[in-house]
Amino acid sequence: MAQDSHPLGAVDSAWLHMDDPTNLMMVTGVALLDGPVDVERCYKTFESRLLSFERFRMRVTDQRGSFSAPRWEPDPHFSIRAHVHRVALPSPGDMTTLQEFLGDLASTPLDYTKPLWQVHLVENVLGGSAVVMRFHHCIGDGAAMNTVMHRLMDKTPDAPIELPRPQSNHNHTLGPLLEPIVATIEGSIKLADELVHEGMEFLRHPEHLLDLPAQAASGAMALSRVLLLPPETKTLFKGPLGVQKRVAWSSPTPLEQVKRIGKTAGAKVNDVLLAAVAGALRNYLIGRGASADGVEIRAVIPVDLRPPSRAHDLGNEFGLVFLSLPLGTPSPVVRLAEVKQRMEALKRSPEAYVFYGLLNFFGRTPAQVEEQAVNLFGSKATAVMTNVRGPTEQLYLAGNRIKNIMFWVPQSGRLGMGVSIMSYCGQVTLGVITDAGLVPDPETITAAFEQEFHVLYDAIVAPTSATTPQH
């Protein structure tokens, strides 16, 4: 495969430079399998399918402090076995043991002398096995890695390893600052699991780009709103970070039940899930003896800006919005209504585009300037929260049935908590990663999420079900 050295795109460079020993810019994902790992088939699957994306053969060279951009270059010593490792959990191989293993992995940096990804084939996991994949955020965002995940998985257990028609492995790099903004506007905006279509008439008339005072004013207002936000509320979730991370995940929740809550309350699926997360965080504070009265914390939420025409490209094409979560609201029904209202306001805001442009800008500046900007925005939030719509059907990996899929996002801007919501095969799972010094027990949050969801369901759906006429 022909590979050439080329610079990272500006936004990819920005995520590369956010790496910090206390907050590694890695995405960690795990697929739970119902049987033992077929090691040789896994090696062949990753070699055949993952490496069709050339970026997984490329390492990053970066001279921090210089004005030269970081570059992708072929790894002259590349070996698939340097990236795919076989391990086994110690007895009893239960959820706690797996969480400890994943927490250690999430705390361990990748080897920068090699391409920035790693796979662990884990045996003795909950009566089956697991495949854990880690990759640096500079390789791609959640939407891009969804493409990679689909590439690795099959609809049948006996599918051939070699796929008949490989996807293009071309990876776009970003052009001048205006180029990605124009390119992303022509697509549709995917906010979590919702598609919000914007009018794109001016794209058919490029001269209109010279006369966009309303858009410029709106963008300036969005930026001013964030810059003028006061520093984030001091809670148990916010503070100095250490190196060690902790991870946890919830039991799967039927997606149909989430939709029933949303339909009854006139809310979106994402509103329901974020309201349940807010309730779980409220319960965590109260359970630790802290007051939740009047408390609101801000979550940074990624917004996918990748047009459908570039759906299979790697790299990072997303903006960020700041959502205030009403932890101080005791009623779950009122809390859902508030989250819904705030999400609707964000969808009408150009905030995501503004932040994408800022990431593009900071990716071209010296690392010191970028670090100051990251710290500034990080001081205005508590957590990163993201929702990824995964496969809707039963899938297989290297011949093994996938029972569930989870992932954990990095906490940019020195934030101490990441919340990831993943849907797969009609169920939804909440993943939480925390700084061990701030929240040593994220499983308490995931358990509270399960409880809060049932409370929300009973408060909203159950009364309507009870009053529905019987036929």
Side-chain angles (χ1 to χ4, degrees):
M1 181 181 300
Q3 296 173 322
D4 298 319
S5 172
H6 56 271
L8 272 70
V11 179
D12 297 343
S13 295
W15 286 105
L16 176 72
H17 290 156
M18 287 186 208
D19 219 13
D20 182 87
T22 64
N23 238 344
L24 301 172
M25 291 297 102
M26 289 188 306
V27 178
T28 301
V30 59
L32 297 179
L33 310 180
D34 66 355
V37 172
D38 185 334
V39 177
E40 288 306 314
R41 180 165 180 171
C42 279
Y43 276 123
K44 293 177 181 177
T45 298
F46 280 94
E47 188 165 34
S48 171
R49 302 183 185 184
L50 189 66
L51 300 188
S52 65
F53 298 93
E54 69 173 20
R55 189 163 291 187
F56 286 92
R57 291 180 180 266
M58 310 283 278
R59 65 185 182 183
V60 176
T61 57
D62 185 23
Q63 296 179 344
R64 294 296 297 266
S66 72
F67 287 98
S68 60
R71 298 185 68 82
W72 295 109
E73 67 172 27
D75 179 1
H77 309 294
F78 181 83
S79 168
I80 188 74
R81 293 180 183 266
H83 294 268
V84 181
H85 308 281
R86 183 181 182 183
V87 299
L89 292 185
S91 182
D94 57 5
M95 181 179 290
T96 299
T97 312
L98 180 58
Q99 288 176 344
E100 290 174 353
F101 173 73
L102 290 169
D104 288 342
L105 274 184
S107 310
T108 305
L110 294 163
D111 183 353
Y112 268 75
T113 67
K114 299 179 176 66
L116 296 174
W117 64 274
Q118 193 176 63
V119 172
H120 284 80
L121 311 178
V122 190
E123 300 176 0
N124 189 35
V125 178
L126 302 171
S129 58
V131 174
V132 181
M133 185 171 185
R134 298 193 300 154
F135 59 88
H136 198 284
H137 212 312
C138 70
I139 292 179
D141 53 28
M145 300 318 294
N146 230 350
T147 294
V148 173
M149 180 178 66
H150 279 81
R151 180 93 173 133
L152 292 171
M153 298 174 182
D154 300 302
K155 295 182 179 181
T156 61
D158 56 352
I161 293 175
E162 296 284 345
L163 295 181
R165 287 180 292 183
Q167 297 167 346
S168 168
N169 60 13
H170 181 67
N171 296 312
H172 289 275
T173 57
L174 300 174
L177 181 60
L178 183 61
E179 179 184 330
I181 297 176
V182 175
T184 53
I185 291 177
E186 68 180 339
S188 56
I189 309 169
K190 190 173 89 176
L191 178 53
D193 63 333
E194 303 162 30
L195 291 176
V196 184
H197 298 283
E198 299 290 342
M200 307 304 164
E201 178 63 25
F202 68 88
L203 284 169
R204 291 187 283 273
H205 304 281
E207 65 275 11
H208 291 186
L209 290 173
L210 303 176
D211 184 23
L212 297 176
Q215 285 84 347
S218 182
M221 289 177 62
L223 178 59
S224 298
R225 184 188 83 84
V226 176
L227 290 175
L228 294 175
L229 289 173
E232 179 64 306
T233 303
K234 176 66 176 177
T235 65
L236 298 177
F237 308 121
K238 190 82 174 169
L241 304 181
V243 171
Q244 188 63 38
K245 302 299 178 185
R246 296 279 188 267
V247 305
W249 59 90
S250 69
S251 298
T253 297
L255 181 59
E256 185 56 38
Q257 291 186 8
V258 182
K259 292 180 177 179
R260 287 190 67 185
I261 295 175
K263 183 177 181 180
T264 305
K268 302 296 184 182
V269 165
N270 202 46
D271 302 335
V272 175
L273 295 171
L274 288 173
V277 170
L281 297 179
R282 169 187 170 84
N283 290 338
Y284 185 88
L285 291 180
I286 294 173
R288 294 297 176 273
S291 173
D293 294 342
V295 172
E296 296 207 358
I297 64 170
R298 299 187 197 102
V300 179
I301 299 182
V303 180
D304 185 18
L305 302 176
R306 180 178 278 99
S309 61
R310 293 204 298 274
H312 300 305
D313 291 340
L314 300 187
N316 291 274
E317 292 195 49
F318 67 94
L320 301 169
V321 295
F322 283 69
L323 172 69
S324 292
L325 292 174
L327 274 60
T329 303
S331 166
V333 177
V334 176
R335 197 183 309 123
L336 172 57
E338 291 184 7
V339 169
K340 172 181 178 291
Q341 182 181 23
R342 295 173 188 187
M343 286 293 288
E344 287 177 346
L346 285 174
K347 293 171 201 172
R348 296 190 295 269
S349 165
E351 194 169 295
Y353 289 121
V354 170
F355 272 91
Y356 182 70
L358 287 174
L359 286 171
N360 202 306
F361 171 75
F362 289 127
R364 303 171 189 274
T365 61
Q368 296 84 350
V369 175
E370 182 186 343
E371 183 175 3
Q372 291 180 6
V374 168
N375 290 335
L376 171 64
F377 291 115
S379 70
K380 299 178 183 297
T382 290
V384 176
M385 296 187 184
T386 184
N387 183 344
V388 173
R389 179 188 293 177
T392 59
E393 56 195 331
Q394 179 65 63
L395 294 180
Y396 300 81
L397 178 59
N400 235 319
R401 186 178 74 89
I402 300 173
K403 296 189 292 186
N404 201 4
I405 304 171
M406 294 90 69
F407 76 106
W408 295 269
V409 293
Q411 299 83 65
S412 56
R414 314 298 185 264
L415 304 181
M417 181 165 56
V419 176
S420 309
I421 301 169
M422 181 78 180
S423 64
Y424 165 65
C425 199
Q427 58 190 15
V428 178
T429 303
L430 176 80
V432 178
I433 181 169
T434 60
D435 181 89
L438 296 176
V439 180
D441 52 347
E443 63 277 4
T444 306
I445 297 175
T446 56
F449 170 82
E450 296 172 21
Q451 178 184 2
E452 184 67 21
F453 177 80
H454 290 303
V455 169
L456 200 56
Y457 188 89
D458 291 342
I460 294 177
V461 177
T464 60
S465 299
T467 57
T468 300
Q470 301 297 316
H471 297 286

